Amino acid sequence: MGISMFVGVVLQIFVLVANSEILHRKALKQDNIIRDDLPSQGVQLLEDDTHVVISNGIVSIRLTVPGGSVTNITYKGSDNLLFPENNEADRGHWDVVWNNTAHADQTDNFVGTSYKVIMQNENQTEISFTRTWTLNSTEAPLNVDKRYVMLKDSPGFYTYVVLERLPGWPVFYIQEGRVLFKLNENMFQYMAVSDSRQRFMPKVKDRENGKVLDYKEAVLLTNATNPAFNGEVDDKYLYTCDNKDIKVHGWVGSNPSLGFWMITPSNEFRTGGPLKQDLTTHLGPTVLHYFTSTHYSGEVLAIKFKTEEYWKKVIGPVYIYLNSNDSANADPSILWIDAKQRMQKEEASWPYEFPLSDDFVKSNQRGALSGQLLVRDWFVNKQAVPGASAYVGLAPPGKVGSWQFENKGYQFWTKTNKDGSFSIKNVIPGNYSLFAYVPGFIGDYKHASDITITPGSNIQATNVVFDAPRNGPTLWEIGIPDRSAAEFFIPNTDSRFKIHQYKKPVERFRQYGLWERYEKLYPRKDLVFTIGSSNYSKDWFFSQVTRNVGGKFVGTTWQIFFNVKNVEKTGNYTLQLALASAHFAELQVRFNDRNSPPQFTTGTIGMDNALARHGIRGVYHYYSVPVPGSRLFVGRNTLFLTQPLTTRRSSQKLCMIISV
Ligand SMILES: *[C@@H]1O[C@H](CO)[C@@H](O)[C@H](O)[C@H]1NC(C)=O
Ligand SMILES: *[C@@H]1O[C@H](CO)[C@@H](O)[C@H](O)[C@H]1NC(C)=O
Ligand SMILES: *[C@@H]1O[C@H](CO)[C@@H](O)[C@H](O)[C@H]1NC(C)=O
Ligand SMILES: *[C@@H]1O[C@H](CO)[C@@H](O)[C@H](O)[C@H]1NC(C)=O
Ligand SMILES: *[C@@H]1O[C@H](CO)[C@@H](O)[C@H](O)[C@H]1NC(C)=O
Ligand SMILES: *[C@@H]1O[C@H](CO)[C@@H](O)[C@H](O)[C@H]1NC(C)=O
Ligand SMILES: *[C@@H]1O[C@H](CO)[C@@H](O)[C@H](O)[C@H]1NC(C)=O
Ligand SMILES: *[C@@H]1O[C@H](CO)[C@@H](O)[C@H](O)[C@H]1NC(C)=O
Ligand SMILES: *[C@@H]1O[C@H](CO)[C@@H](O)[C@H](O)[C@H]1NC(C)=O
């Protein structure tokens, strides 16, 4: 039933307005309590000339027509859960941040121009809001189809979007893409993003009353509504997660006692692979699902299109899940536990059967791949050993490690079992490269041949063997090659910043201001690490940064002392370097001569800003540096690692292995 049926019949339009209000109010609050006594009903849909309401007796959502912005969400008779003071287009919507040579960075909220009911019956409603890009439009050159789905008895709703770009349209870049909901701050106080990171949050006003620190995102709370928060730093990047871990996050309110959760049932439509990090939710209260961004990666992950390029991608569905329990007033985390269970249920239902867009590939149209990953490192084991607890994934064809820069297709990742076996199910048909990385082994794996997945296929991958980079026996090694600097020394931040006392321990690297700690701990002399007596958990600072000397940033040179008993002067040694993150950094390598030209340099690398965003990794860099035996001495040797770039933000996190 489309509104166009009634155009010209003024009276009927008027009647419809009233109906839509009534339907919405039926599910609306009485004295702000959750009503469990509402009768179970099928999904209903009511329209007027400006809005549509869909409701299943548990949840009711109201959207603008034909724009397709969510203006009201109510749960079991609650008030609108969305922020009432924001205008209707700015409470719940999809958007991208984009640019090109004609348009500076800007947000496109995908305002629909056409609205259609795709399906409406007692069991399911699916509505669609589309906009078609035209040559003179100032919006991002994309055709957009936004879908909202409600199912009978489902305490929430689904949303997904289909984006399409046609050949010949202007070249442009997508920096960020997401769906977001801005909740009513008076209703929601407690935020949860993981088992440990959950807490009562400061208010928007608290941020406004605070002091902006090194970055505009980071604010020192000085006059918080809850004085216990004074001295803490609020920064949305404290609540980011790896893509592989962003499955459920949200807020709990106490008046009435209910939870609002974003559930992401699959990672296939995100960019940059499982270790790419992104925002989840933050003060506001704002609940996000990011499907693409340059966060923790930089410009390399901006989606760039060529003139003749055709592109289409389905993002989602994601599930907005609502729950309640009177006991949550005493312990809000019980709603988190319930939301996690629901997340597992949604994950197990992936790929969903209900979406009606032809572009969403159903399970019977998908294929699978299984195999066993082995690792061959002849120095450690004569035979190949199982690649246990490794990440294996299919991503669009590319070279070794290209998955971390991939941002247009779909990626399918899984973790191997103890014996290295893996099974990747529900893969969208297409051509892929098979990639893997194995914690404990430096470098990246790519299968020798690409793999074509067809509908219904169940391919057994053979010869999935990662030859770990190795030129000879290990002389020494610092750290664990696992694409993270978490095992190194991570200081506490400056005492003027109060660390929030979570109930469960939160990773130490999630603190504001760690980049300033190096120069406090090493005010004049740089770090020296002695193989054999130093301990990387205590003596290896997790990031090599520059030092502020009287307002100017100067480079730093770290030294590693190591002994070699016998040097093969004509032999070739290898230094394996892995950087977990880099930001406008350069790493120069010199053996035994601090003043010689560098024997190796990475050149200027990285824009991932992971250190400033309290991350322990960004974009992974791996280097295999040849070292002629003639550079080494019998007895004590020194390896100089110089970070010469002199901006505050230059930094790197390294892990290294030297072998002969
Ligand atoms: C929608 O939400 C706004 C803001 O909370 C509220 O004023 C309005 O009454 C709601 N409309 C309906 C139909 O529930
Ligand atoms: C709704 O689902 C029920 C149970 O599966 C089924 O009996 C009924 O026919 C469905 N209604 C419609 C309109 O499809
Ligand atoms: C685009 O703008 C040009 C110049 O103003 C005009 O001639 C043309 O008709 C417009 N095209 C469309 C599709 O609106
Ligand atoms: C603290 O915040 C309150 C309420 O927002 C305001 O009235 C007061 O002036 C603030 N105090 C300081 C020292 O900023
Ligand atoms: C647009 O974004 C790209 C990708 O992030 C960036 O490299 C470029 O400098 C930006 N261009 C303009 C004109 O802002
Ligand atoms: C509410 O939470 C408590 C404690 O976890 C649990 O025992 C109870 O079953 C929950 N009630 C509902 C209605 O889910
Ligand atoms: C996959 O690769 C084969 C061989 O290169 C090619 O013929 C085919 O068109 C590709 N399929 C897709 C879906 O790209
Ligand atoms: C290194 O230091 C850590 C942290 O103090 C300690 O747990 C570990 O046992 C030490 N390792 C060695 C080899 O001494
Ligand atoms: C060491 O490397 C050089 C340059 O690649 C090569 O010419 C030489 O043969 C190598 N020496 C040995 C012993 O492998």
Side-chain angles (χ1 to χ4, degrees):
M1 178 175 63
I3 190 69
S4 56
M5 283 170 64
F6 300 97
V7 165
V9 191
V10 174
L11 183 64
Q12 286 203 13
I13 290 176
F14 180 73
V15 170
L16 275 170
V17 172
N19 279 347
S20 141
E21 294 275 355
I22 289 162
L23 174 62
H24 207 251
R25 278 204 203 109
K26 263 210 311 213
L28 267 186
K29 71 144 206 168
Q30 286 171 356
D31 307 323
N32 222 11
I33 49 159
I34 296 291
R35 294 185 52 198
D36 277 315
D37 59 337
L38 296 169
S40 167
Q41 63 184 64
V43 192
Q44 296 185 41
L45 174 140
L46 273 172
E47 303 157 328
D48 58 45
D49 56 347
T50 58
H51 292 85
V52 57
V53 172
I54 47 181
S55 173
N56 61 8
I58 309 168
V59 173
S60 169
I61 66 170
R62 184 169 172 263
L63 302 103
T64 57
V65 169
S69 301
V70 184
T71 68
N72 296 58
I73 301 175
T74 69
Y75 172 70
K76 292 187 176 175
S78 75
D79 263 342
N80 186 7
L81 305 179
L82 299 182
F83 190 62
E85 280 151 54
N86 271 20
N87 81 40
E88 291 208 328
D90 203 15
R91 295 180 193 165
H93 60 80
W94 289 90
D95 67 27
V96 288
V97 177
W98 69 285
N99 80 4
N100 62 16
T101 47
H103 300 271
D105 278 12
Q106 58 188 275
T107 304
D108 179 348
N109 282 359
F110 291 160
V111 177
T113 51
S114 174
Y115 155 71
K116 199 161 114 192
V117 178
I118 303 293
M119 178 185 215
Q120 159 57 26
N121 69 33
E122 55 181 316
N123 296 325
Q124 172 171 352
T125 294
E126 175 156 350
I127 52 177
S128 156
F129 301 86
T130 54
R131 82 121 197 263
T132 306
W133 193 79
T134 53
L135 216 47
N136 291 357
S137 164
T138 55
E139 289 158 335
L142 288 169
N143 286 337
V144 179
D145 183 357
K146 299 186 284 184
R147 301 289 181 107
Y148 295 88
V149 182
M150 190 174 278
L151 305 179
K152 185 171 190 252
D153 297 331
S154 164
F157 64 94
Y158 298 87
T159 182
Y160 64 108
V161 68
V162 184
L163 301 178
E164 181 185 42
R165 179 207 135 81
L166 299 183
W169 284 5
V171 166
F172 77 111
Y173 298 147
I174 300 177
Q175 253 87 247
E176 292 182 34
R178 60 198 180 163
V179 56
L180 71 85
F181 294 93
K182 185 90 191 287
L183 306 186
N184 185 341
E185 192 178 38
N186 296 326
M187 297 173 86
F188 294 94
Q189 303 83 29
Y190 187 87
M191 189 178 93
V193 302
S194 71
D195 286 333
S196 53
R197 279 180 296 160
Q198 35 184 292
R199 55 169 297 179
F200 287 97
M201 286 293 285
K203 303 272 182 209
V204 171
K205 194 175 71 183
D206 299 343
R207 256 185 90 86
E208 288 163 5
N209 284 342
K211 183 173 161 272
V212 173
L213 298 169
D214 281 3
Y215 307 94
K216 70 177 192 314
E217 291 83 356
V219 170
L220 178 65
L221 303 177
T222 54
N223 184 13
T225 326
N226 178 349
F229 298 155
N230 285 338
E232 287 186 13
V233 176
D234 179 70
D235 182 342
K236 60 189 176 183
Y237 292 105
L238 288 167
Y239 308 109
T240 56
C241 295
D242 292 352
N243 275 353
K244 64 180 167 55
D245 302 324
I246 309 183
K247 295 179 172 183
V248 54
H249 52 268
W251 288 75
V252 178
S254 63
N255 178 34
S257 157
L258 60 83
F260 185 107
W261 307 99
M262 174 67 72
I263 291 181
T264 310
S266 164
N267 233 346
E268 67 184 36
F269 41 82
R270 288 209 184 95
T271 63
L275 297 183
K276 164 80 169 69
Q277 295 144 88
D278 232 314
L279 294 164
T280 55
T281 169
H282 57 80
L283 174 152
T286 304
V287 179
L288 305 159
H289 163 81
Y290 261 87
F291 59 91
T292 189
S293 84
T294 55
H295 300 140
Y296 300 90
S297 60
E299 203 263 330
V300 285
L301 262 169
I303 307 178
K304 306 176 179 86
F305 296 101
K306 296 187 193 76
T307 311
E308 287 315 310
E309 196 166 342
Y310 175 77
W311 181 69
K312 190 181 230 184
K313 189 165 175 177
V314 180
I315 317 295
V318 294
Y319 183 46
I320 293 36
Y321 173 61
L322 297 152
N323 59 4
S324 62
N325 186 323
D326 287 340
S327 313
N329 273 335
D331 179 7
S333 70
I334 65 173
L335 291 181
W336 158 258
I337 291 163
D338 174 73
K340 263 203 325 189
Q341 283 164 2
R342 183 70 192 207
M343 174 273 286
Q344 281 156 6
K345 200 174 146 191
E346 296 298 320
E347 217 177 16
S349 320
W350 188 267
Y352 295 135
E353 287 306 317
F354 61 77
L356 292 172
S357 165
D358 292 339
D359 296 309
F360 183 78
V361 183
K362 298 287 172 54
S363 62
N364 63 5
Q365 288 303 306
R366 297 183 178 219
L369 174 86
S370 49
Q372 186 189 20
L373 172 69
L374 300 176
V375 183
R376 198 153 47 202
D377 183 346
W378 57 262
F379 175 68
V380 181
N381 281 294
K382 277 216 164 66
Q383 250 131 49
V385 298
S389 305
Y391 286 84
V392 186
L394 289 170
K399 53 185 204 264
V400 177
S402 58
W403 52 269
Q404 66 171 341
F405 307 109
E406 192 284 318
N407 58 16
K408 287 179 186 156
Y410 301 91
Q411 296 197 24
F412 303 86
W413 286 84
T414 192
K415 216 170 159 179
T416 59
N417 298 320
K418 273 203 191 112
D419 64 351
S421 64
F422 63 89
S423 167
I424 308 178
K425 298 195 179 86
N426 296 311
V427 182
I428 293 174
N431 290 335
Y432 296 92
S433 294
L434 176 62
F435 298 105
Y437 62 90
V438 191
F441 295 91
I442 208 159
D444 261 294
Y445 171 73
K446 183 193 154 181
H447 194 255
S449 48
D450 285 348
I451 286 164
T452 302
I453 302 285
T454 53
S457 61
N458 193 352
I459 297 170
Q460 187 68 33
T462 53
N463 204 17
V464 188
V465 184
F466 174 40
D467 281 303
R470 155 97 46 207
N471 293 346
T474 299
L475 292 184
W476 51 266
E477 179 170 353
I478 300 174
I480 306 162
D482 61 356
R483 298 170 180 251
S484 151
E487 72 275 28
F488 296 133
F489 176 71
I490 301 175
N492 268 336
T493 191
D494 191 285
S495 57
R496 75 200 146 104
F497 307 123
K498 196 164 102 190
I499 300 170
H500 184 77
Q501 295 303 309
Y502 288 96
K503 277 199 194 140
K504 292 182 181 162
V506 164
E507 297 97 330
R508 292 178 62 78
F509 58 84
R510 299 190 196 274
Q511 298 183 56
Y512 172 83
L514 297 184
W515 52 90
E516 288 179 348
R517 300 308 291 157
Y518 177 77
E519 66 199 30
K520 293 290 184 315
L521 291 163
Y522 298 88
R524 274 172 295 275
K525 283 192 174 161
D526 281 325
L527 183 148
V528 175
F529 191 92
T530 305
I531 302 295
S533 59
S534 301
N535 176 338
Y536 65 69
S537 326
K538 294 189 287 205
D539 306 319
W540 188 265
F541 197 86
F542 78 109
S543 179
Q544 185 171 357
V545 291
T546 53
R547 179 189 284 112
N548 184 347
V549 177
K552 270 196 160 170
F553 291 94
V554 298
T556 53
T557 296
W558 292 10
Q559 295 174 65
I560 298 163
F561 296 152
F562 63 99
N563 277 299
V564 186
K565 272 201 193 120
N566 305 300
V567 175
E568 288 180 42
K569 283 283 179 188
T570 57
N572 289 324
Y573 291 71
T574 308
L575 173 67
Q576 312 274 23
L577 282 175
L579 307 186
S581 161
H583 192 71
F584 293 110
E586 178 182 352
L587 183 66
Q588 296 177 349
V589 173
R590 292 175 178 84
F591 280 93
N592 292 321
D593 182 354
R594 187 176 192 141
N595 299 313
S596 69
Q599 284 134 30
F600 170 80
T601 176
T602 59
T604 306
I605 50 165
M607 279 180 72
D608 62 37
N609 221 0
L611 187 62
R613 290 179 174 143
H614 334 296
I616 203 66
R617 62 164 71 94
V619 170
Y620 178 74
H621 290 84
Y622 164 65
Y623 302 94
S624 189
V625 181
V627 184
S630 56
R631 291 265 173 208
L632 302 179
F633 306 138
V634 173
R636 193 166 101 160
N637 289 264
T638 308
L639 166 56
F640 297 94
L641 296 174
T642 299
Q643 157 70 286
L645 291 179
T646 51
T647 63
R648 137 150 305 181
R649 305 202 302 173
S650 64
S651 64
Q652 54 210 350
K653 298 175 179 179
L654 37 112
C655 178
M656 65 187 79
I657 299 174
I658 186 161
S659 61
V660 60

